[in-house]
Amino acid sequence: MIGREDVEVWTTRAGLDRRVGTLRPSLTSGRVLASSSFEYDSDYLRDGWQISPDLPLRAGRKYTEENSVLPGAFTDAAPDDWGQKLIRADHVRRRRHDEALPARLGDFDYLLGVSDHTRMGALRFRTTGPWLSSEVGVANLHDIPRIVDAAQRYEDDEATDEDIAYLGDVATSPGGARPKANVVTDEGTLAIAKLPHSKDGRFDVERWEAVALSLAGAAGLRTPVWHLAGPDTGRSVLVSERFDRNSSGERLGFMSGRTALELGAHDDGSRKTYEDFADAIDRWSVAPSADLAEMFGRIALSILVNNVDDHWRNHGLLHDENGWRLSPLFDVNPSRQRGVIDSRAVNDSDDPSHRQLSNLLTSASVFRLSAASARGVLRRVATAVSSWDHVAGDLGIAATERAAYESSFDADQREWALALD
């Protein structure tokens, strides 16, 4: 029997809904989530796929460890900072009209408060009624100016109730701290619109992310389908198609790098290196050699463009009918920032505040690459990054802004990689 707070977990594949199991929270006062457990449905155990490293396919309830309150699969399906802020703001608005609503929200409320249509990954939730939450949670491309204006007013503490209700509907699912919203492209494809941030200053940060995606594509790395959009004036919006949906719009399972590494909510991810992540890819991917070579190239790109917002939630794997594969690249941003940064070390010998391609080369075998193949990958990525100024100009970034960003592209390491034989 399902309890009052228990939630049925489902997935949908080939148009068929299938029950995966039951998620049971342990809530304390103030709706604080102390822990939770999950139990696979007996039918699902016969031929289902493992949804999370900490949830092996076996009968019985599996309880969270002391350092977690939700299994990794559900943490990945929940909103991150930006989405949680909007859910809280919308809850305050709703509570003014319905005092029966709880005064506070917790992790379990955030998980269930995301629109079912746009929730990340393949998992869906229900009790006895419709999917939780049943709001559509998506806008059209022509709504982007309205989304940008509402998000700006929200960041400036000037949002109206209408703004908060609107953002609470279309902008809670994407993760991360930067403002984002769910949109549908003109072709009907679900996408994320990555919006300007109040802290961007005079720089068009989303256009610089477009530069990084262009360089990645030129280096032969896999990227989502994307384009630049937004208001006619002001900073741009990057529209990136959701890679956790296939060409038919079917949901794909998603596992963040943090979940693949089995890091709990209170674990410090900085103690894990890219060699550790390579081991996780080797374990989970059904095509490990290809995915490890791809990851090796992505690390090189991240170093060469000074991508300092480099944490384990910015990597992921997708599950389709064949199994787990490395997702397309995402959230790689050239940065002018130096000093205290949030990067992951390549290996135990690497300094995350000043990562070296030479250290990456010494780890080639961990990525199933020969020394010669690894040198070839480094040359290919460095060749692509060498065109950064030309690419940025073609994407409409002014010469003065390109000059300000020149330090983001490490010329010394690029020349070192280009000289490899």
Side-chain angles (χ1 to χ4, degrees), residues 31-86:
R31 295 196 63 77
V32 174
L33 183 63
S35 63
S36 59
S37 68
F38 177 77
E39 184 175 7
Y40 285 108
D41 187 80
S42 57
D43 288 339
Y44 186 86
L45 283 173
R46 283 197 283 269
D47 58 355
W49 50 279
Q50 185 175 344
I51 63 174
S52 188
D54 49 355
L55 296 174
L57 278 170
R58 60 172 181 254
R61 291 173 70 172
K62 171 66 174 174
Y63 293 85
T64 52
E65 302 291 340
E66 290 184 0
N67 62 352
S68 300
V69 295
L70 282 169
F74 302 106
T75 300
D76 290 337
D80 213 326
D81 294 348
W82 169 253
Q84 288 187 19
K85 289 177 182 178
L86 291 179

Side-chain angles (χ1 to χ4, degrees), residues 11-17 246 250-251 321:
T11 189
T12 301
R13 183 155 288 177
L16 299 175
D17 297 332
N246 65 16
E250 185 173 289
R251 300 162 189 260
E321 64 276 6

Side-chain angles (χ1 to χ4, degrees), residues 261-329:
L261 287 165
E262 300 190 60
L263 291 167
H266 306 298
D267 286 332
D268 181 5
S270 63
R271 64 184 175 83
K272 296 290 188 179
T273 69
Y274 272 112
E275 285 194 349
D276 295 317
F277 189 49
D279 290 340
I281 294 172
D282 212 354
R283 175 187 175 190
W284 288 102
S285 174
V286 294
S289 294
D291 283 347
L292 286 168
E294 169 81 14
M295 194 67 234
F296 187 88
R298 294 183 190 183
I299 301 167
L301 176 73
S302 191
I303 293 172
L304 288 172
V305 304
N306 194 39
N307 174 43
V308 299
D309 184 24
D310 175 34
H311 54 80
W312 298 123
R313 290 194 189 280
N314 283 349
H315 303 284
L317 293 95
L318 300 174
H319 191 280
D320 61 14
E321 64 276 6
N322 298 313
W324 291 103
R325 289 294 309 273
L326 191 65
S327 75
L329 171 150

Side-chain angles (χ1 to χ4, degrees), residues 324-340:
W324 291 103
R325 289 294 309 273
L326 191 65
S327 75
L329 171 150
F330 62 100
D331 283 356
V332 174
N333 294 277
S335 175
R336 301 169 64 249
Q337 184 178 352
R338 300 286 175 180
V340 180

Side-chain angles (χ1 to χ4, degrees), residues 78-90 110 114 146-157 159 163-164 166-182 192-199 313:
D80 213 326
D81 294 348
W82 169 253
Q84 288 187 19
K85 289 177 182 178
L86 291 179
I87 290 173
R88 284 197 299 272
D90 195 43
Y110 296 135
V114 173
R146 178 186 177 187
I147 297 169
V148 171
D149 289 345
Q152 185 63 62
R153 286 192 292 272
Y154 175 76
E155 288 195 279
D156 292 340
D157 293 324
D163 289 334
I164 291 172
Y166 180 61
L167 292 173
D169 185 31
V170 304
T172 59
S173 181
R178 291 184 62 85
K180 303 178 181 72
N182 297 291
I192 291 178
K194 308 182 77 171
L195 312 177
H197 194 288
S198 59
K199 297 180 180 179
R313 290 194 189 280

